Amino acid sequence: MSVKRVGILTAGGLAPCLSSAIGALIESYTEKAPEIEILCYRSGYKGLLLGDSFLVTPTVRENAKVLHQHGGSPIGNSRVKLTNVADCVKRGLVKEGQDPLHVAAEQLKTDCVDVLHTIGGDDTNTTAADLAAFLAQNDYDLTVVGLPKTIDNDVIPIKQSLGAWTAAEQGARFFENVVAEHNANPRMLIVHEVMGRNCGWLTAATANKYRERLDALKFLPETGLSRERKEVHGVYIPEMHFELQQEADRLRAILDEIDCVNIFISEGAGVDTIVQEMESRGEEVPKDAFGHYKLDAVNPGKWFGEQFAKMIGAEKVLVQKSGYYSRAARANEQDIELIARCANKAVDCALAGDSGVVGQDEDRGDELRAIEFERIKGGKPFDIGSTWFGNLLREIKQPKGDVVETQHA
């Protein structure tokens, strides 16, 4: 197949890779196949359904490197599932009686798109797979090449998703300022809620990065400026079971000794328990278009803060969420290098007509390749047996809990 025009869209939540990934794709096409036109859809699948797009100009090609200097997605995101017909109709993206897959397919035909690049998580890329399959059944040859975006780093079987390293680094920087709030109140509990619906990787990695930043600082204990007061005292993630009372006793001893406690909690930790508690009170817990509980309604950080505060005798609780700060950051150098490698491979795959999600395939010796869509799943659990995580728990003197059996999303 001769490729004449490619489409690009970003979808789902933000991650510190979207702007850079768009830039890297434009740069790679400009280098390898400058004759190919590039079309960007605004606001993800919403733009595709509504036919809202623009062509990349020569000026944009010449200045694509600027996109590496920014976070967010300049072309915009949305959360749209093409197979959720009712939601698409409700939001005015298609008319009653229309099939969103058919509408999207017809738009791609109208736009003469030969290759569609989707930059997003498992929901974004599996939606793209649904679209490609629909088009194949209707005699339209479309190559779909996705890039794996999620700060949770939980896409099966991809070793490292784009933007996750940056998100951990930015979360650590965020807490570096927040932690000083313990100076404002005695017996203070600070809860750092980190994004991660099903996977605790980001919470653990953020705590680890934060402690590396502490390693680079000097302290003056005689004035009250001690590492112990800025230390991470607990890390709680979906994959690890812990005894609430046992942890409360441990944290109370820390609070009694140094007058503050700092804990890192994944936003997905304890969600089932909290939802059950809310529903037992007759509360309806809202879900998004993909059937996930809306975590801002569940609010795990607040729940854990309230539970621990009572049990450890904290006088004040401060819950701070780093998610929006972290996910909208520009990509760091480590991520930019990974993004560039993945984008180059994505263009090679596009030109060869090889569909899939480009990433390091853990089942194939970490080979960088277009991974088959049917093998892409969300909800990859973080390995709590990782050496670095074990070292983290040992250094903060937190008992290692049992593994919680998780189901793939």
Side-chain angles (χ1 to χ4, degrees):
M1 178 185 73
S2 175
V3 178
K4 296 180 180 179
R5 179 179 286 182
V6 302
I8 298 175
L9 64 80
T10 63
L14 296 182
C17 65
L18 296 174
S19 184
S20 188
I22 296 166
L25 285 171
I26 293 172
E27 288 173 322
S28 188
Y29 272 109
T30 300
E31 177 188 345
K32 297 181 179 185
E35 74 283 0
I36 294 177
E37 291 185 320
I38 303 173
L39 185 76
C40 292
Y41 289 101
R42 295 186 178 93
S43 300
Y45 288 113
K46 176 183 178 181
L48 176 56
L49 289 172
L50 299 178
D52 186 6
S53 63
F54 65 90
L55 279 171
V56 170
T57 64
T59 298
V60 172
R61 286 180 182 266
E62 291 169 10
N63 295 279
K65 63 182 180 181
V66 171
L67 293 171
H68 297 300
Q69 299 175 15
H70 297 271
S73 173
I75 64 176
N77 278 25
S78 64
R79 293 183 182 276
V80 176
K81 189 174 180 66
L82 297 181
T83 54
N84 189 336
V85 179
D87 182 67
C88 289
V89 171
K90 179 181 177 181
R91 295 164 65 177
L93 303 179
V94 298
K95 297 177 181 178
E96 191 73 47
Q98 286 186 315
D99 180 352
L101 281 170
H102 178 75
V103 173
E106 288 301 313
Q107 189 61 52
L108 288 167
K109 290 181 184 178
T110 299
D111 293 336
C112 300
V113 171
D114 302 305
V115 176
L116 179 63
H117 288 289
T118 54
I119 310 169
D122 62 291
D123 285 333
T124 297
N125 287 308
T126 52
T127 294
D130 292 335
L131 181 57
F134 180 87
L135 284 162
Q137 293 169 4
N138 290 272
D139 300 320
Y140 187 86
D141 189 14
L142 176 75
T143 299
V144 180
V145 184
L147 290 175
K149 168 241 58 164
T150 170
I151 60 176
D152 296 355
N153 196 28
D154 68 341
V155 180
I156 299 170
I158 292 172
K159 181 178 182 179
Q160 186 70 33
S161 59
L162 309 183
W165 282 324
T166 303
E169 179 185 89
Q170 291 296 320
R173 292 170 62 90
F174 174 89
F175 194 72
E176 194 171 50
N177 286 356
V178 170
V179 71
E181 282 293 325
H182 67 237
N183 298 149
N185 293 276
R187 294 188 70 82
M188 188 168 185
L189 168 63
I190 301 181
V191 179
H192 181 190
E193 183 179 317
V194 183
M195 283 187 168
R197 177 182 296 276
N198 301 302
C199 178
W201 181 90
L202 182 60
T203 303
T206 302
N208 204 47
K209 277 291 181 185
Y210 170 71
R211 297 191 74 250
E212 287 179 2
R213 295 179 72 84
L214 288 183
D215 290 341
L217 298 176
K218 293 181 180 180
F219 297 92
L220 196 59
E222 293 83 356
T223 68
L225 183 61
S226 67
R227 168 149 185 165
E228 289 73 20
R229 287 172 61 80
K230 291 196 170 188
E231 184 58 90
V232 177
H233 301 120
V235 179
Y236 307 104
I237 58 178
E239 296 88 347
M240 190 172 70
H241 174 77
F242 66 94
E243 294 295 337
L244 190 63
Q245 186 60 59
Q246 179 182 341
E247 275 300 282
D249 291 343
R250 185 180 70 85
L251 295 177
R252 180 162 196 139
I254 294 171
L255 184 63
D256 290 343
E257 180 181 354
I258 64 172
D259 204 42
C260 63
V261 164
N262 312 309
I263 60 177
F264 282 46
I265 290 175
S266 168
E267 66 176 356
V271 166
D272 290 342
T273 299
I274 300 169
V275 168
Q276 289 174 9
E277 183 180 288
M278 293 173 70
E279 291 178 339
S280 71
R281 297 195 299 266
E283 298 179 36
E284 183 177 348
V285 185
K287 295 181 179 180
D288 63 19
F290 294 89
H292 305 313
Y293 287 115
K294 292 186 175 180
L295 293 177
D296 56 347
V298 178
N299 210 343
K302 181 175 181 289
W303 187 87
F304 271 99
E306 290 173 348
Q307 299 301 311
F308 274 133
K310 297 173 187 175
M311 300 174 77
I312 71 176
E315 292 184 11
K316 183 176 177 61
V317 180
L318 177 65
V319 180
Q320 292 288 288
K321 304 179 181 183
S322 62
Y324 292 110
Y325 176 90
S326 299
R327 77 180 198 170
R330 59 184 285 185
N332 65 15
E333 291 184 5
Q334 189 177 21
D335 262 318
I336 285 177
E337 189 277 331
L338 178 62
I339 290 166
R341 286 197 291 121
C342 289
N344 280 327
K345 185 65 176 180
V347 171
D348 289 342
C349 291
L351 297 176
D354 187 10
S355 291
V357 180
V358 173
Q360 292 170 279
D361 190 337
E362 290 185 304
D363 296 334
R364 306 282 178 86
D366 295 340
E367 177 189 354
L368 186 65
R369 59 186 298 272
I371 301 169
E372 297 77 11
F373 281 115
E374 60 268 22
R375 295 177 54 219
I376 298 294
K377 296 184 179 71
K380 179 176 72 173
F382 168 56
D383 179 10
I384 67 172
S386 300
T387 300
W388 64 266
F389 183 62
N391 290 339
L392 186 157
L393 294 181
R394 184 176 64 257
E395 289 170 7
I396 67 173
K397 298 181 174 57
Q398 177 179 343
K400 185 176 181 181
D402 297 328
V403 176
V404 174
E405 292 298 324
T406 58
Q407 294 183 340
H408 297 156

